[in-house]
């Protein structure tokens, strides 16, 4: 199966590439779902009356007793013809391509079966009087199978539309990435500052960034200083102090100070553009899932075709005169009973039902293939911040100096930090509010990027600054020192706590046989402490976005099936490259666009449910395939006339169609059991 990914380009990509044709292949050789959608509605509008005409005389004979069977046949022919040739045109193309390239798949069997039913029924309408009397029923004439052709085409169209929607997420992910860079920049030349479009910036330009603005391109800070929120790159919540000589990256957020920096990498050379390319490359290199139905069809299609041809030849040679008619009828009966209505339903119905069950459990399945692949996962790489941890620092310890109380120390520190937007400052204020402390107003507030803040609180000079050492019993914490009037008053430790649900979820994932590794941009000591506390199988610290994707590739190269769980922009390339990308619902839009599964509440317990759901769904699919082929295996010999030499009995194409419908009902009923699956 060939797949052409959605067209989207990172900055610097050629802009004069012609747009793809409206019906250009997107997935499984079929066009975008917006092209398939009107054909589905057209097929549905025609199929409903065909089903009524075909099944009405059997289900409600009183209502249809005055309908002339020949008129009914012509009406069914008129309604089914556009369904088969127009609504199913793309399936016919895939069927023809599979024959030319000897690449049999579900479409090969679908179109072969629906085509056999259609053309047999056309012949029955046109030449019904010339067919054997044994094929004429007492009330309805020669049995027709237009409803099978129309119904199967409509159902397969619906299944393909659902799959196309799941595979149309690349454009949205790339657009979300591109929106991170500002549209304009403040360029400083000859002492004058002017706003210019981002495309006009060149290397060596000097740019100003004010508080609250995003950095437009990559470069090096030359004047001033600030704390820059780089969580989009590192995933870590704490802003990074920047001073002259420090590197800055496009798309990151300046929080407090104003500074000048010299542009060094612009356009397609920025780190943000590189992340965009990584996501594009990962999406484009992702092969469409080779579904179970296609793998089975690889041998089933040739076998059925061979049996049908053999049936025709044997009846033509050994059958009673005139042998051509029974030879044709029995060969068609073989194709009809082998028509993969149940096979076409086996995978999509189970997946759609499983997707609905997952939504109830907080697992949003964006890509049905990801749900199927999750069953085979052996390794889970998990981002730390916002996935294993809360993603928000909190006060975990207060150590006042002699003569100072905890309450007094916290109140002074929170009052001094009240005017700051730094995450650590917000954590201090939140801790004070949680204790119902009244904060005295602060004056002379001054923030020194990388050094801390100072202010006068109730007439006292208070300074809050990050300490160099760490607390032994809080290996993952950030320690800050507070001085009052130049005298050390104590320390406060802040840490990003592990989510309460994480330990139990990790234990259950281990029980399910998965190897869990943490991936984080944080320092090694912090990563080791978290990994030891959770009993993880390993960890990777100080990891960049590109390195995260490389780690996914390295694990895959060792034969592992990798699931990656994360919540930030920095995780997008890894989410796209992993066999299964899993995003936290509390994370960024980019992460959710790049992932196949989204855990709505950002809780790893939902990942456990997703694993259970995937295994239940795949088990259901295998059961469906068994029942689909069970009817074929039992019915094909009968349709071929195997019992005729011993009993004189033949399986009419009408009963072959009934058996085909029964297998479909069995598959649908079995798939619906997933609605009540315990996960």
């Amino acid at each position: 199966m060939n797949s052409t990914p959605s067209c989207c380009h990172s900055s610097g990509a050629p802009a004069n590439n012609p747009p793809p044709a409206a019906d250009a292949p997107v997935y499984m050789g079929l066009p975008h779902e917006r092209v398939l959608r009107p054909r589905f509605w057209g097929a549905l509008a025609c199929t409903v009356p065909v089903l009524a005409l075909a099944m009405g005389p059997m289900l409600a004979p009183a209502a249809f007793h005055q309908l002339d069977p020949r008129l009914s046949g012509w009406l069914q022919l008129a309604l089914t013809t556009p369904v088969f040739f127009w609504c199913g045109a793309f399936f016919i193309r895939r069927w023809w391509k599979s024959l030319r390239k000897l690449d049999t798949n579900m479409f090969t069997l679908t179109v072969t079966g629906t085509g056999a039913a259609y053309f047999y029924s056309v012949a029955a309408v046109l030449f019904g009087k010339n067919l054997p009397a044994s094929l004429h029923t007492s009330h309805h004439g020669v049995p027709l199978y237009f409803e099978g052709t129309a119904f199967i085409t409509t159902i397969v169209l619906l299944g393909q539309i659902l799959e196309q929607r799941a595979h149309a997420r690349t454009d949205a992910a790339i657009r979300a990435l591109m929106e991170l860079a500002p549209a304009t920049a403040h360029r400083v030349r000859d002492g004058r500052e002017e706003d210019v479009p981002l495309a006009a910036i060149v290397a060596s330009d000097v740019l100003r960034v004010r508080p609250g603005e995003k950095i437009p391109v990559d470069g090096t800070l030359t004047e001033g200083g600030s704390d820059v929120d780089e969580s989009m790159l590192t995933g870590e919540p704490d802003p990074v102090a920047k001073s002259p000589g420090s590197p800055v990256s496009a798309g990151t957020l300046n929080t407090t100070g104003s500074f000048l920096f010299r542009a060094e990498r612009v356009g397609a050379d920025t780190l943000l553009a590189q992340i965009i390319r990584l996501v594009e490359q990962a999406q484009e290199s992702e092969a469409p899932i080779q579904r179970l139905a296609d793998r089975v069809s690889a041998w089933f299609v040739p076998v059925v075709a061979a049996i049908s041809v053999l049936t025709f030849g044997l009846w033509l040679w050994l059958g009673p005169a005139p042998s051509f008619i029974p030879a044709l009828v029995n060969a068609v009966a073989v194709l009809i009973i082998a028509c993969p209505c149940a096979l076409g339903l086996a995978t999509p119905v189970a997946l759609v039902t499983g997707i609905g069950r997952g939504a109830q459990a907080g697992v949003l399945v964006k890509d049905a293939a990801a749900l199927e692949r999750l069953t085979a996962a052996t390794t889970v790489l998990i981002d730390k911040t916002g996935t294993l941890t809360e993603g928000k620092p909190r006060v975990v310890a207060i150590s006042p100096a002699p003569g100072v109380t905890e309450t007094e120390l916290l109140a002074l520190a929170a009052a001094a930090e009240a005017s700051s937007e730094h995450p650590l400052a917000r954590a201090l204020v939140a801790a004070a509010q949680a204790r119902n402390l009244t904060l005295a107003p602060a004056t002379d507030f001054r923030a020194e990027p990388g050094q801390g803040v100072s202010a006068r609180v109730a007439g006292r000079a208070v300074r809050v600054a990050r300490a160099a050492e760490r607390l032994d019993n809080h290996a993952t914490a950030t320690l800050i020192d507070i001085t009052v009037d130049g005298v050390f008053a104590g320390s406060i430790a802040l840490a990003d706590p592990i989510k309460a649900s994480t330990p139990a979820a990790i234990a259950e994932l281990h029980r399910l046989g998965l190897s869990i590794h943490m991936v984080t941009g944080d320092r090694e000591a912090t990563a080791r402490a978290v990994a030891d506390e959770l009993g993880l199988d390993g960890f990777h610290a100080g990891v960049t976005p590109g390195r995260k994707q490389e780690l996914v590739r390295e694990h895959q190269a060792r034969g592992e099936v990798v699931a990656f769980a994360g919540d930030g922009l920095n995780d997008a390339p890894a989410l796209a490259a992993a066999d299964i990308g899993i995003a936290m619902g509390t994370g960024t839009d980019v992460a959710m666009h790049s992932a196949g599964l989204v855990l709505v509440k950002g809780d790893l317990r939902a990942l456990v449910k997703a694993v259970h759901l995937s295994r239940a769904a795949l088990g259901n699919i295998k059961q469906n395939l068994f029942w689909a082929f069970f009817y074929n295996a039992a019915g094909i010999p009968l349709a071929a006339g195997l019992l005729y030499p011993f009993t004189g009995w033949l399986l009419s194409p009408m009963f072959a169609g009934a058996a085909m419908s029964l297998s479909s009902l069995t598959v649908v009923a079995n798939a619906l059991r997933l609605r009540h699956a315990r996960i």
Side-chain angles (χ1 to χ4, degrees), residues 395 410-411 414-415 426-439:
V395 172
L410 179 59
R426 293 195 296 269
L428 289 171
V429 173
Q433 291 173 342
R435 298 190 182 198
N436 296 317
L437 301 183
T438 300
L439 302 184

Side-chain angles (χ1 to χ4, degrees), residues 491-504:
S491 300
I492 299 178
L494 301 97
D496 184 9
I498 294 173
K499 292 180 181 178
S501 59
T502 296

